[in-house]
Amino acid sequence: MKRIVFSAMAACMIVSACATAQDGTGLSKKEKKAGWKQLFDGKTLTGWHQFHAKPGSTPAWKAVDGTLFLDTDAKASGASGGDLVTNEDYENFEFEYEWKISPNGNSGVMFGVNEDKKYGATYSTGPEMQVIDDAGHPDGKNKKHNSGELYDMIAAPKFYAKPVGEWNKAKIIKKDGKITLFLNGEKTAETTMGTPEWQELLNNSKFKTWKGFGEYPKGKIALQDHGDKVWYRNLKIRQL
């Protein structure tokens, strides 16, 4: 009887492992069934391009050891800087990713980005979830400019980022205009675009007079080149 029980338990463990094991896509069978898709294959920049990319340009962004890495040193060798954006546009989605920042570094993740030539930067239209060395970068001293926050709009209840150089896990959920942000499992911001609350947040931010900011329900996701080394990995998304 003991042997039978053990075998049953072992079988359950094997089935469970198979259900969660990752295949060549980097996603488990359970994740793929739930609609998750990779946004980075760990080896190439496929699916991404520089914002307003010029033909033939070589981006400073590189695929290194399974990460999307901004090699700021490469700029000295002629690589072009600039934010990296997805080829596709997204409206209702759940986006998960991990990030690691260099000492005194700054970056960010924008969404709802419109690539029309009349907009000179990703942040002209896309709200940002902040990525920063809170303790080392001067901007980290400003309220609503810390890691995981909806940049310049909503301050998180507490500091949830791990020490600089360690990996942080972030999540952005956007559904019918409602935005919810999480950093390392903790909610950092929540609001709904187009509501009186949203307008009040805008009126109290640097974006108050920016035409086009936060006005596009559907847009690209962007990784910011703020001039500092930063790493992203395990980027995945599912449409809601």
Side-chain angles (χ1 to χ4, degrees), residues 93-212:
F93 60 86
E94 183 175 357
F95 173 47
E96 291 186 0
Y97 59 99
E98 294 178 64
W99 61 263
K100 180 174 67 172
I101 193 70
S102 56
N104 309 318
N106 192 346
S107 183
V109 175
M110 275 72 73
F111 51 95
V113 172
N114 189 290
E115 204 172 7
D116 191 293
K117 294 295 183 181
K118 67 182 178 181
Y119 298 117
T122 58
Y123 54 77
S124 297
T125 55
E128 175 185 353
M129 186 175 187
Q130 177 73 306
V131 169
I132 196 171
D133 174 5
D134 292 315
H137 194 282
D139 207 31
K141 307 297 186 294
N142 296 336
K143 187 178 180 181
K144 296 182 286 188
H145 287 197
N146 293 111
S147 295
E149 297 182 336
L150 186 60
Y151 180 78
D152 210 62
M153 296 184 73
I154 299 178
K158 294 171 60 178
F159 293 108
Y160 297 121
K162 295 182 179 180
V164 66
E166 295 187 19
W167 286 102
N168 295 271
K169 187 171 184 178
K171 179 188 295 187
I172 299 172
I173 301 175
K174 182 174 174 288
K175 174 67 172 175
D176 299 330
K178 183 178 180 180
I179 301 167
T180 311
L181 309 182
F182 295 89
L183 182 64
N184 295 320
E186 303 289 345
K187 185 188 295 185
T188 58
E190 188 171 63
T191 186
T192 302
M193 303 171 76
T195 63
E197 177 195 41
W198 174 260
Q199 189 59 51
E200 184 177 356
L201 292 172
L202 281 178
N203 291 342
N204 291 308
S205 76
K206 66 195 296 182
F207 311 114
K208 180 179 180 179
T209 60
W210 292 26
K211 293 183 178 180

